[in-house]
């Protein structure tokens, strides 16, 4: 893929190159939080490491349970960094529908904030809670965040 005159093999390469050249630039912004490219690279790496620990990677699927937010972007990038594909699911779906969707997609795990995973319920795959803001949604994978 060609981005700004540079050739890349994946979106992860784009993120890594941008984080290397412009680590303090904002990558994701919301009303309450700004995540720099360096922080996004670190946080997505943490998610990828946890997926790899569960032997989830190349061309496998992971369901991301999150509203569109900084957290969702980190989780999507982490799944891609692990070599897997993501499927965005809504935690407000009825649990039986969500269980069927995850099964039909052959998703190997659910990734999301602990509160979103709790709302999604048990769908028969490992759950990986993430904590972007570090305020203790434990147990989880603590991820760095920079407030802006």
């Amino acid at each position: 893929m060609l981005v700004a005159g540079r050739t890349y093999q994946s979106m992860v390469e784009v993120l890594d190159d941008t984080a290397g050249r412009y680590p303090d630039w904002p990558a994701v912004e919301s009303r309450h939080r700004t995540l720099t490219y360096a922080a996004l690279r670190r946080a997505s790496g943490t998610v990828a490491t946890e997926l790899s620990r569960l032997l989830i990677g190349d061309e496998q699927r992971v369901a991301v349970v999150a509203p569109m937010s900084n957290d969702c972007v980190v989780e999507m990038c982490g799944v891609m960094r692990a070599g897997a594909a993501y499927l965005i699911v809504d935690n407000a779906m009825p649990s039986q529908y969500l269980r069927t969707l995850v099964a039909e997609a052959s998703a190997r795990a659910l990734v999301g904030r602990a509160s979103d995973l709790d709302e999604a319920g048990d769908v028969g795959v490992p759950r990986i809670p993430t904590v972007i803001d570090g305020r203790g949604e434990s147990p989880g994978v603590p991820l760095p965040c920079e407030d802006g």
Side-chain angles (χ1 to χ4, degrees):
M1 96 183 49
L2 188 64
V3 178
R6 294 176 184 259
T7 302
Y8 300 97
Q9 296 299 311
S10 69
M11 288 303 297
V12 172
E13 284 186 13
V14 174
L15 170 61
D16 287 345
D17 183 55
T18 305
R21 290 186 297 131
Y22 311 106
D24 298 325
W25 282 20
V28 184
E29 294 182 304
S30 69
R31 283 182 287 178
H32 306 291
R33 192 174 2 178
T34 297
L35 205 59
T36 65
Y37 278 100
L40 178 57
R41 179 172 52 186
R42 282 191 312 272
S44 65
T46 303
V47 171
T49 298
E50 188 65 15
L51 289 169
S52 296
R53 188 183 70 72
L54 294 172
L55 304 177
I56 296 171
D58 289 345
E59 300 184 22
Q60 295 175 325
R61 292 171 202 90
V62 174
V64 173
V65 183
M68 263 313 171
S69 64
N70 293 14
D71 300 8
C72 186
V73 174
V74 167
E75 292 153 0
M76 291 185 303
C77 289
V79 171
M80 287 188 291
R81 186 173 294 283
Y86 61 85
L87 164 72
I88 304 290
V89 296
D90 183 352
N91 59 350
M93 293 176 179
S95 67
Q96 185 56 46
Y97 180 75
L98 187 55
R99 179 184 285 275
T100 300
L101 184 64
V102 167
E104 287 183 5
S106 300
R108 298 276 316 276
L110 288 180
V111 175
R113 294 181 303 191
S115 58
D116 292 327
L117 293 174
D118 287 344
E119 284 184 42
D122 180 16
V123 296
V125 296
R127 297 158 33 119
I128 302 172
T130 57
V131 182
I132 305 299
D133 61 11
R135 289 188 218 156
E137 280 191 71
S138 272
V141 181
L143 304 175
C145 178
E146 297 179 14
D147 291 323

